[in-house]
Amino acid sequence: MDLVGTGRRLKSAELLAAANKLGVDAATLRAVLEVETAGAGFDARKRLKLLFEPHIFYRQLGPGPKRDEAVKKGLAYAKAGSRPYPPLYKRYDQIAAAIAIDETAALNSASWGLPQIMGFNHKAAGFQSAKAMVASMLEGEGQQIEAFANLLSDWKLSDALRNRDWRRFALKYNGPNALKHRYDKKLTAAFEKFSSLAARAVARPGTNKSFVFFEWILAGVVTLSQTERNLPTIANVGARDFKDLACWLIVQIGPISLNVTTPSLGLAPNLVQTMLDTIESIKKSGITTMLVEQNTSQLEKFIDRVYVLEEGKNAGESSIEALRQQATRV
C-alpha cells in the first residue's frame, strides 16, 4: 500500500470544527497532537506518519505460519517493548514487510496520522477497515483530525478533555503504560504551552497602514490575562497574510469572542474587504462576534442581530432583514 499522501496540513477551520464537535478548546486538541506526532501527520516526503507495533501484529496474526514468518523476520513478538522502535524513516520498510505477510493484520497493528489512531480502532474512528481509515488520512490532516474527533466521541472521552483530566485520557487513549511513560505530564505541559500563546503586533515608525491594522484588530482579540503574558511579536505583516494570522491566533488561544469597533473607519477599501472577509470566516467557525459600526451596508451579509445605540443606551434591536425593510420604507 502506497503511504505517500497529499501532505496537506491542518487548516484552522478544521481544527476548530473538531474542537466544536467535542466541546473543547483548540489548545486542548493541539496538546494531544503535539504529544502524539509533534503536530504533523506527514513526514517531509508526505508519507503518513505511523508507528508499527510488533506485539500487536503478533496478536493480530494468531498462531500459524504467518506469525512464524513474522517472528523470524523480527516483525512480531509477544511482549511489548521487547525491542526499541526504529526511527521514523525505517518504519515504512517495516510496515511494507508486514503488509507482505498480511495486509489487514499489518494495518491494524500500526497507529496512524496526527492522532496516532491504532488501525484496529478503525470502527470507532468511523471506518469499515483500517485500510479505509489510512486511505482517508492520506488525503490530509483535516481527515485525520476528523477521525480523531469520531474516535473520542465514540469512546466518550470528550469530557476528560473538557475537564483536562489528562490522567484519565492518557490511560484510555494510550493504555495502562501511559502513566509510566509520563504521557499525562507531557499532555499537561503541551496544553500549558498552547493555551498561553497569543499574538501582539507592535507598530514601528515607517510601517504601513496594513500593519497598524493588524495591531488594532489583534488588540481586540487578545483579552484578559493573555495581554499580561510574554507574547511573541509579529512584525512585517502584509494585508494578504491577515486571514492566516487571525486564524492562527484563534487556534492558539482557543474559542473566544471577537469584539471589533468601527472596522471600516479610516482604512483603504481593499483592507476593509480583507478584514470583513476574515471576520465573516471567523464567525462561520463558531466564534461569537460583536461589531460596532455605523456603515451597516457592508455587514449585512453576515450579521444576525442589530442593536441600535443612542447616547450609549439600547434604543432598539431587530434582525438585519427587519432593519433592511424599515430602511426601505423610509
Side-chain angles (χ1 to χ4, degrees), residues 52-56 77-85 177 180-181:
F52 181 71
E53 299 282 6
H55 69 287
I56 302 295
Y77 40 76
K79 186 178 180 181
S82 296
R83 300 178 188 175
Y85 292 118
N177 291 325
K180 175 183 176 182
H181 297 295

Side-chain angles (χ1 to χ4, degrees), residues 52 54 57-58 61 65-77 83 86 90 93-102:
F52 181 71
F57 194 42
Y58 185 92
L61 289 171
K66 288 185 177 181
R67 185 161 78 180
D68 293 341
E69 180 184 356
V71 170
K72 184 178 180 180
K73 292 181 176 180
L75 296 169
Y77 40 76
R83 300 178 188 175
K90 289 187 177 181
D93 291 337
Q94 185 186 38
I95 191 70
I99 287 174
I101 295 173
D102 189 304

Side-chain angles (χ1 to χ4, degrees), residues 213 263-278 298:
F213 167 60
S264 65
L265 181 63
L267 296 175
N270 63 323
L271 292 181
V272 172
Q273 190 58 53
T274 298
M275 179 206 59
L276 294 178
D277 289 344
T278 301
Q298 298 188 71

Side-chain angles (χ1 to χ4, degrees), residues 3-46:
L3 295 177
V4 177
T6 64
R8 189 176 66 81
R9 297 304 306 273
L10 184 66
K11 296 180 180 179
S12 56
E14 294 167 336
L15 179 62
L16 288 171
N20 290 336
K21 178 177 181 177
L22 297 169
V24 302
D25 57 74
T28 297
L29 283 187
R30 289 204 63 179
V32 179
L33 302 179
E34 175 74 11
V35 172
E36 290 292 344
T37 52
F42 297 96
D43 73 355
R45 294 168 58 182
K46 298 184 180 180

Side-chain angles (χ1 to χ4, degrees), residues 142-159:
Q143 285 74 12
Q144 296 168 31
I145 199 168
E146 183 179 0
F148 184 47
N150 291 339
L151 182 89
L152 296 184
S153 297
D154 184 82
W155 285 1
K156 296 179 172 55
L157 272 177
S158 301
D159 59 333

Side-chain angles (χ1 to χ4, degrees), residues 38-224:
F42 297 96
D43 73 355
R45 294 168 58 182
K46 298 184 180 180
R47 295 177 298 186
L48 186 64
K49 282 191 176 181
L50 68 98
L51 181 61
F52 181 71
E53 299 282 6
H55 69 287
I56 302 295
F57 194 42
Y58 185 92
R59 295 205 298 263
Q60 288 280 322
L61 289 171
K66 288 185 177 181
R67 185 161 78 180
D68 293 341
E69 180 184 356
V71 170
K72 184 178 180 180
K73 292 181 176 180
L75 296 169
Y77 40 76
K79 186 178 180 181
S82 296
R83 300 178 188 175
Y85 292 118
L88 179 60
Y89 73 92
K90 289 187 177 181
R91 295 175 193 171
Y92 299 99
D93 291 337
Q94 185 186 38
I95 191 70
I99 287 174
I101 295 173
D102 189 304
E103 182 181 57
T104 299
L107 297 177
N108 281 340
S109 302
S111 54
W112 301 94
L114 265 175
Q116 288 293 280
I117 298 175
M118 285 300 303
F120 60 74
N121 287 323
H122 57 269
K123 287 187 178 180
F127 300 92
Q128 292 299 312
S129 66
K131 187 173 184 178
M133 183 180 76
V134 170
S136 175
M137 288 185 169
L138 288 170
E139 296 177 14
E141 292 180 352
Q143 285 74 12
Q144 296 168 31
I145 199 168
E146 183 179 0
F148 184 47
N150 291 339
L151 182 89
L152 296 184
S153 297
D154 184 82
W155 285 1
K156 296 179 172 55
L157 272 177
S158 301
D159 59 333
L161 285 180
R162 279 193 295 271
N163 297 326
R164 304 198 181 99
D165 187 347
W166 301 120
R167 185 178 189 277
R168 179 188 162 200
F169 179 84
L171 287 171
K172 175 63 177 177
Y173 195 70
N174 276 69
N177 291 325
L179 303 185
K180 175 183 176 182
H181 297 295
R182 297 176 56 81
Y183 187 73
D184 56 330
K185 304 299 182 185
K186 294 176 182 177
L187 286 169
T188 301
F191 173 75
E192 290 176 353
K193 167 188 172 182
F194 288 114
S195 62
S196 65
L197 286 175
R200 173 184 291 165
V202 180
R204 296 179 180 177
T207 54
N208 58 33
K209 288 185 178 181
S210 65
F211 187 85
V212 177
F213 167 60
F214 277 103
E215 179 191 30
W216 169 75
I217 190 71
L218 289 174
V221 177
V222 181
T223 59
L224 304 178

